[in-house]
Amino acid sequence: MTAPSRTPSASSGFGLSVEARNLHWLLTNLVEEVPGLLSVAVVSSDGLLLLSSDPGRNAERPADHSGGPKGSSADLATIVSGVGSLTIGAAKLMDGGNVKQTMVAMAEGSLFIMSISDGSLLGVHATPDCDMSVVAYHMALFVGRAGHVLTPELRSELRQSMESQ
């Protein structure tokens, strides 16, 4: 798999490892292939933003989110981390095993969270009219492809690249 020159939330792919560029490429594909996605974030098990889409380039993004951090990838990362923690705690209390996915349907949007094998989470904010099965399917594809490459070294590289922006 080769990475394109354009990557989400990175001014350029230069200086990133092949694995990091591939994850950016996978995220770009997710955003471009699935109608109705507003923002996507990959969050580490300790709640740090590792990778995100660029919500400003999505035409469907609500106008009231354009001026500030509300709806930004950092906010999505915070929400994904918090909801992920809550569902993990609930699953433990209920002896439910590992949480595979969480979905919140709201009047004006949807939130999808899916576990990645290393404890990281993939979070998606979508429009209320998105096809939930298509979103879940493409998220599962991303998780399947990304899960085995999210090593501690790659997580560290992704964190550093997010901090330098």
Side-chain angles (χ1 to χ4, degrees):
M1 158 178 15
T2 59
S5 59
R6 189 179 94 236
T7 58
S9 289
S11 54
S12 74
F14 301 112
L16 294 177
S17 68
V18 171
E19 293 84 5
R21 289 193 313 267
N22 284 343
L23 282 178
H24 281 282
W25 182 82
L26 284 172
L27 189 69
T28 298
N29 269 359
L30 176 66
V31 171
E32 290 177 352
E33 295 292 318
V34 183
L37 297 191
L38 298 170
S39 187
V40 180
V42 175
V43 181
S44 67
S45 58
D46 55 354
L48 297 174
L49 181 62
L50 298 177
L51 193 63
S52 70
S53 66
D54 179 8
R57 71 175 220 235
N58 294 314
E60 297 176 85
R61 185 168 177 238
D64 61 325
H65 287 209
S66 61
K70 185 174 182 181
S72 72
S73 295
D75 283 346
L76 179 61
T78 301
I79 293 164
V80 167
S81 180
V83 171
S85 243
L86 207 70
T87 56
I88 289 168
K92 284 180 184 174
L93 285 173
M94 295 180 206
D95 293 325
N98 292 334
V99 177
K100 296 178 183 178
Q101 61 187 10
T102 304
M103 200 282 269
V104 179
M106 302 168 281
E108 299 299 324
S110 297
L111 172 67
F112 301 87
I113 301 171
M114 195 169 284
S115 297
I116 301 176
S117 63
D118 71 331
S120 297
L121 299 168
L122 171 64
V124 170
H125 176 214
T127 60
D129 60 344
C130 71
D131 186 331
M132 293 180 194
S133 61
V134 171
V135 173
Y137 173 76
H138 283 276
M139 287 178 71
L141 288 177
F142 180 93
V143 166
R145 293 173 180 157
H148 68 283
V149 298
L150 271 172
T151 62
E153 295 80 18
L154 183 55
R155 287 192 302 272
S156 177
E157 177 185 356
L158 292 169
R159 279 187 204 134
Q160 289 174 355
S161 75
M162 291 301 292
E163 290 171 2
S164 67
Q165 293 178 21

